[in-house]
C-alpha cells in the first residue's frame, strides 16, 4: 500500500526553517479588522495589526491542524478570496475541570488587488502552505514506529446505526463528516444492516480500493472486520489494511485505549469521538497485536481487546438490558451482579513471558508435553498484584514477536491466519514450562490485550497496542463484595493494581488456557459471547495496523 504523503508546496520549502511566510489579511466578517499572519514550519501566529500588545497574539501549533481550504464567495461584487484553517487544540473545558480537544476555525479574507483570480491564487498558496506544514507536524510519540496513510486517503467508513443508544449516525454527521471535509479525506459511508454484514463485506471486497477501514460503532463491529480480513485467501496482505476506530457504542474500549496511548488527558463521550476523529485525519499508523482464540468446537477467532470469564463476562452480557443508558450500563450491571456474587470453578494455566522467544534467545525444545508447573500460591496477607516475570518490564520490538518455542499441531487445510506455534491442541496436555494456577475457584478471569476494558475502565494501565503481551488478571474466590467494588472503582483510574488487594493476581503472558468446570457462566471475546467450554489463546505481536497517535 502506498503510504507516501503529498509533496510539500515549493514556496513553503523556500522559506526555510528560520524564515516565515507573512501576510496581512482582513477578518472574514469585518473588513475593518486586520491581522498580521505568519506561518513557520511548526506554528501559525495571528495578531491584530491595531494592537501592539502580545495579549492579542494567538499561536496555533500545526500539530493540532487538520486542514485548510481556500475558496471564493458567490458574490460577484466581492473581489476578495478566503482561506480557513481548522485546528483541534487542547483547551480547558468550560463547565468542568480538565482539558479536551476543541474545534477552532480561523478564517481570513484576502484582497491584495482588485483581481479576484489573483486573490484566490494567494488564498490557495496560503492554504497549501498550511496544509503541507501541518502534514509534517504529526503527534508522534517517542519509541513508536509509524507508517502513514497516503493522501488523499480513501476510507471505507462502516457505521452500525443501532450501536450504543442508536446515536452513531448523529455522531457521524455532527462531528466526523465535517472533520473529514476539513482534512480533504474522501470516504464511502457503509451503514451495516445486520450482524456479520461488515464481516462478509470485508471478506469479499476488493481492498485495493481502500487505504483504510474505519469503524464508527462499539467494539463488536471491529471484531467482525478483523475476523473477516483474516478469513480471506490473501489474509497476510489484507490484515495490513490500516484500521481506525471511532467510538459509537456503549463500551468503546479500543477507542479509549487509542486515546490513552497518546498520553493525553482522559476524555469520554463526544470528546473521545473528537479525539479519535482527530487521530484518524492525522493518519499515523502503528502496529496492533491480535490474539488467536481457540474454542472447544475447534473454531478459531481473532481478538484485539479481551477475553473474559466470570464476573466481567456476566456483567457485559446482563447489562445489555440497560443499553439505553449508554456507558453507564456497565456500572448498573456491576451493582446488580455484586448483589448475587458467584464463584466459578475451573483451571487456568499460562505461558510466562520468560518462556517466550525474546530477542537474542535461541529456540527451546518443548516437543514433549508434560504436567505444567504449579504457579505460585499467595498467602492471604500477601499483595498478589505481582508477576512471576516482573523482571521482564520491557517488551521486545513488535517486529521480533514471532515466537517459536514449540511445534504447532496439524493445521487444517482451510484455516486462514497465522499459525499458533505456542499452543497444542485443546485436547492435549500443556507442556511443562507452562504455569498452572493452583486455585480452582475464581470470581473472574480477564485476559486484556489493550489498556481499557470500557470507556471508563483502565484495566491494564501498562498495556500498549503492540507490546506483544497478554495482560492476564484473575480474582480468586474469597473476595468480599465491598472489596470487589473497591477494585472496580479503582479501575476507573487504573489504580486497582496499587490498592493491595490480596485476591487479585496480574501476569504478563504469551499464551493461556482456561478450562471452566462450572456449568453456569459465559465467556466473551471483545464483548461478544462465544461458546462456553475450554478455551486458549496466544498473542501475535504487531500483525495488524491501527490508526493511532
Amino acid at each position: 500500500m502506498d503510504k507516501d504523503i503529498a509533496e510539500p508546496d515549493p514556496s513553503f520549502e523556500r522559506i526555510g526553517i528560520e524564515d516565515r511566510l507573512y501576510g496581512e489579511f482582513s477578518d472574514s466578517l469585518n473588513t475593518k479588522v486586520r491581522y498580521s499572519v505568519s506561518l513557520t514550519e511548526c506554528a501559525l501566529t495571528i495578531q491584530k495589526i491595531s494592537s501592539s500588545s502580545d495579549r492579542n497574539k494567538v499561536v496555533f501549533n500545526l500539530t493540532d491542524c487538520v486542514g485548510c481550504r481556500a475558496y471564493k464567495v458567490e458574490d460577484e461584487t466581492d473581489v476578495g478570496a478566503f482561506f480557513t484553517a481548522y485546528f483541534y487544540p487542547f483547551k480547558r473545558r468550560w463547565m468542568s475541570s480538565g482539558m479536551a480537544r476543541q474545534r477552532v476555525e480561523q478564517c481570513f479574507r484576502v484582497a491584495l488587488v482588485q483581481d479576484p483570480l489573483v486573490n484566490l491564487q494567494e488564498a490557495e498558496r496560503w492554504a497549501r502552505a498550511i496544509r503541507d506544514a501541518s502534514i509534517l507536524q504529526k503527534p508522534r510519540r517517542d519509541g513508536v514506529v509509524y507508517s502513514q496513510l497516503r493522501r488523499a486517503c480513501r476510507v471505507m467508513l462502516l457505521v452500525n446505526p443501532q450501536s450504543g443508544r442508536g446515536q452513531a449516525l448523529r455522531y457521524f454527521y455532527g462531528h466526523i463528516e465535517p472533520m473529514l471535509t476539513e482534512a480533504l479525506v474522501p470516504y464511502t459511508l457503509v451503514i451495516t444492516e445486520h450482524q456479520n454484514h461488515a464481516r462478509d463485506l470485508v471478506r469479499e471486497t476488493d481492498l485495493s480500493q481502500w487505504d483504510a477501514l474505519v469503524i464508527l460503532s462499539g467494539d463488536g463491529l471491529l471484531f467482525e472486520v478483523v475476523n473477516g480480513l483474516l478469513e480471506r485467501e490473501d489474509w497476510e496482505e489484507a490484515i495490513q489494511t490500516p484500521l481506525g476506530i471511532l467510538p459509537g457504542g456503549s463500551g468503546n474500549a479500543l477507542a479509549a485505549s487509542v486515546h490513552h496511548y497518546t498520553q493525553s488527558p482522559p476524555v469520554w463521550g463526544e470528546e473521545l469521538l473528537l479525539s479519535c476523529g482527530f487521530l484518524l485525519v492525522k493518519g499515523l499508523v502503528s502496529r496492533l497485536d491480535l490474539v488467536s482464540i481457540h474454542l472447544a468446537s475447534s473454531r478459531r477467532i481473532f481478538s484485539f481487546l479481551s477475553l473474559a470469564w466470570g464476573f466481567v463476562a456476566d456483567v457485559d452480557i446482563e447489562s445489555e438490558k440497560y443499553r439505553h443508558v449508554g456507558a453507564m450500563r456497565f456500572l448498573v450491571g456491576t451493582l446488580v451482579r455484586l448483589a448475587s456474587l458467584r464463584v466459578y470453578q475451573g483451571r487456568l494455566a499460562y505461558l510466562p513471558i520468560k518462556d517466550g522467544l525474546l530477542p537474542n534467545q535461541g529456540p527451546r525444545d518443548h516437543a514433549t508435553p508434560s504436567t505444567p508447573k504449579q504457579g505460585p500460591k499467595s498467602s492471604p496477607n500477601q499483595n498478589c498484584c505481582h508477576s512471576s516475570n516482573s523482571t521482564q518490564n520491557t517488551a521486545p520490538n513488535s517486529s521480533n514477536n514471532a515466537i517459536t518455542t514449540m511445534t504447532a499441531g496439524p493445521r487444517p487445510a482451510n484455516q486462514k491466519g497465522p499459525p499458533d506455534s505456542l499452543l497444542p491442541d485443546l485436547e492435549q496436555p500443556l507442556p511443562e514450562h507452562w504455569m498452572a494456577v493452583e486455585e480452582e475457584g475464581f470470581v473472574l478471569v480477564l485476559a486484556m490485550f489493550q489498556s481499557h476494558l470500557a470507556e471508563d475502565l483502565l484495566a491494564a494501565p501498562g498495556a500498549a497496542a503492540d507490546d506483544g503481551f497478554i495482560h492476564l488478571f484473575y480474582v480468586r474466590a474469597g473476595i468480599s463484595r465491598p472489596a470487589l467494588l473497591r477494585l472496580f472503582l479503582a479501575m476507573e483510574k487504573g489504580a486497582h493494581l496499587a490498592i493491595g488487594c490480596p485476591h487479585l493476581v496480574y501476569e504478563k503472558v504469551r499464551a493461556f488456557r482456561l478450562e471452566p468446570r462450572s456449568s453456569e457462566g459465559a465467556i466473551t471475546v471483545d464483548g461478544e459471547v462465544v461458546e462456553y467450554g475450554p478455551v486458549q489463546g496466544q498473542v501475535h505481536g504487531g500483525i495488524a495496523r491501527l490508526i493511532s497517535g
Side-chain angles (χ1 to χ4, degrees):
M1 179 177 295
D2 181 10
K3 298 183 177 66
D4 293 336
I5 62 173
E7 290 295 323
D9 180 72
S11 65
F12 187 74
E13 284 186 321
R14 286 197 298 270
I15 70 174
I17 192 168
E18 300 297 334
D19 298 321
R20 63 181 182 175
L21 190 62
Y22 179 84
E24 295 182 3
F25 308 107
S26 302
D27 184 271
S28 60
L29 300 177
N30 185 354
T31 57
K32 294 181 179 180
V33 178
R34 292 183 60 79
Y35 298 95
S36 64
V37 182
S38 61
L39 176 68
T40 65
E41 290 187 350
C42 60
L44 183 72
T45 302
I46 304 163
Q47 185 171 11
K48 279 187 179 181
I49 292 177
S50 59
S51 173
S52 59
S53 172
D54 283 344
R55 292 182 179 179
N56 290 315
K57 180 187 292 185
V58 181
V59 179
F60 289 95
N61 192 324
L62 292 178
T63 303
D64 300 324
C65 179
V66 301
C68 187
R69 68 185 186 98
Y71 55 95
K72 178 81 171 65
V73 295
E74 295 181 359
D75 185 357
E76 294 183 358
T77 63
D78 187 354
V79 299
F82 299 82
F83 67 92
T84 303
Y86 306 96
F87 296 86
Y88 288 80
F90 283 99
K91 300 179 67 177
R92 293 198 174 277
R93 298 183 179 97
W94 180 53
M95 294 292 290
S96 61
S97 61
M99 307 278 285
R101 288 199 183 274
Q102 300 178 37
R103 184 179 181 276
V104 177
E105 178 180 311
Q106 292 292 315
C107 183
F108 302 96
R109 180 174 181 270
V110 181
L112 304 180
V113 296
Q114 291 300 307
D115 187 337
L117 180 59
V118 172
N119 291 329
L120 181 59
Q121 289 173 341
E122 179 66 6
E124 289 173 341
R125 186 172 82 97
W126 271 84
R128 274 197 310 273
I130 292 171
R131 286 198 303 269
D132 291 340
S134 67
I135 289 168
L136 298 175
Q137 298 295 320
K138 299 285 188 179
R140 292 177 170 86
R141 288 177 290 129
D142 292 340
V144 179
V145 178
Y146 294 104
S147 56
Q148 194 160 304
L149 293 175
R150 77 168 193 168
R151 298 179 69 227
C153 172
R154 302 163 301 171
V155 170
M156 178 195 287
L157 203 152
L158 298 110
V159 178
N160 177 3
Q162 305 303 321
S163 64
R165 289 177 288 178
Q167 299 294 307
L169 283 174
R170 182 180 72 83
Y171 291 156
F172 171 74
Y173 289 115
H175 295 287
I176 301 304
E177 185 183 44
M179 192 179 290
L180 294 173
T181 301
E182 292 162 2
L184 303 178
V185 175
Y187 66 90
T188 298
L189 179 65
V190 177
I191 300 175
T192 60
E193 299 173 356
H194 52 79
Q195 188 175 13
N196 284 322
H197 181 180
R199 187 174 193 155
D200 296 338
L201 178 63
V202 301
R203 186 172 56 231
E204 304 297 336
T205 194
D206 176 11
L207 291 177
S208 66
Q209 302 178 71
W210 312 106
D211 299 308
L213 302 175
V214 177
I215 287 80
L216 174 51
S217 180
D219 298 303
L221 195 61
L222 184 57
F223 175 81
E224 288 189 24
V225 169
V226 166
N227 282 278
L229 292 173
L230 285 163
E231 290 167 359
R232 295 171 60 102
E233 293 293 336
D234 63 343
W235 65 268
E236 290 179 279
E237 181 180 357
I239 200 60
Q240 298 298 305
T241 306
L243 304 173
I245 185 70
L246 300 168
S250 51
N252 303 321
L254 182 61
S257 299
V258 167
H259 175 83
H260 174 72
Y261 299 148
T262 66
Q263 302 171 355
S264 302
V267 292
W268 303 270
E270 294 184 38
E271 289 179 347
L272 178 61
L273 178 68
L274 210 61
S275 172
C276 291
F278 172 82
L279 295 173
L280 168 63
V281 299
K282 277 298 187 178
L284 289 178
V285 179
S286 59
R287 296 184 179 97
L288 174 67
D289 294 342
L290 296 179
V291 174
S292 57
I293 304 293
H294 293 247
L295 304 175
S297 62
S298 299
R299 187 165 68 102
R300 184 172 73 148
I301 56 178
F302 288 87
S303 168
F304 59 87
L305 182 63
S306 66
L307 178 143
W309 173 59
F311 184 88
V312 171
D314 287 351
V315 168
D316 201 2
I317 296 167
E318 295 168 4
S319 66
E320 282 289 331
K321 63 174 70 76
Y322 312 117
R323 182 173 287 274
H324 61 281
V325 300
M328 288 290 291
R329 60 175 265 218
F330 298 107
L331 176 59
V332 176
T334 296
L335 296 174
V336 171
R337 175 46 50 208
L338 277 170
S340 54
L341 191 60
R342 297 174 183 164
V343 173
Y344 306 81
Q345 298 297 319
R347 296 187 63 185
L348 177 64
Y350 56 86
L351 178 64
I353 295 172
K354 62 185 178 183
D355 283 305
L357 182 63
L358 300 178
N360 302 319
Q361 286 183 322
R364 298 173 59 179
D365 182 9
H366 295 299
T368 305
S370 59
T371 304
K373 292 180 286 188
Q374 293 293 321
K377 181 176 182 180
S378 305
S379 65
N381 296 322
Q382 182 181 355
N383 180 357
C384 294
C385 303
H386 71 284
S387 171
S388 62
N389 37 64
S390 59
T391 57
Q392 299 282 356
N393 290 327
T394 304
N397 186 290
S398 296
S399 62
N400 293 326
N401 280 344
I403 305 166
T404 56
T405 61
M406 64 174 293
T407 303
R411 186 180 183 189
N414 61 347
Q415 181 172 289
K416 312 297 192 303
D420 293 316
S421 58
L422 299 178
L423 300 175
D425 289 339
L426 262 173
E427 297 79 14
Q428 295 179 354
L430 291 170
E432 63 178 1
H433 58 291
W434 283 57
M435 301 294 291
V437 176
E438 188 171 326
E439 294 86 355
E440 295 191 356
F442 301 91
V443 171
L444 66 87
V445 172
L446 177 64
M448 290 293 301
F449 323 132
Q450 305 297 328
S451 64
H452 279 67
L453 183 60
E455 198 170 302
D456 56 353
L457 288 177
L458 181 51
D466 64 341
D467 58 16
F469 300 143
I470 294 170
H471 299 262
L472 181 63
F473 300 82
Y474 60 90
V475 174
R476 297 182 292 111
I479 189 171
S480 66
R481 290 180 177 85
L484 187 59
L485 179 59
R486 283 196 298 271
L487 208 59
F488 275 85
L489 292 176
M491 194 181 290
E492 292 183 4
K493 296 183 178 180
H496 51 295
L497 296 176
I499 64 176
C501 174
H503 294 87
L504 172 64
V505 181
Y506 167 46
E507 301 282 352
K508 292 180 182 178
V509 307
R510 299 290 187 192
F512 68 92
R513 177 183 286 185
L514 172 65
E515 299 175 88
R517 301 288 177 84
S518 298
S519 58
E520 289 189 4
I523 296 174
T524 58
V525 175
D526 295 355
E528 303 296 309
V529 181
V530 299
E531 63 193 75
Y532 191 64
V535 63
Q536 64 182 7
Q538 82 161 68
V539 65
H540 294 277
I543 68 168
R545 297 294 178 265
L546 178 67
I547 300 172
S548 60

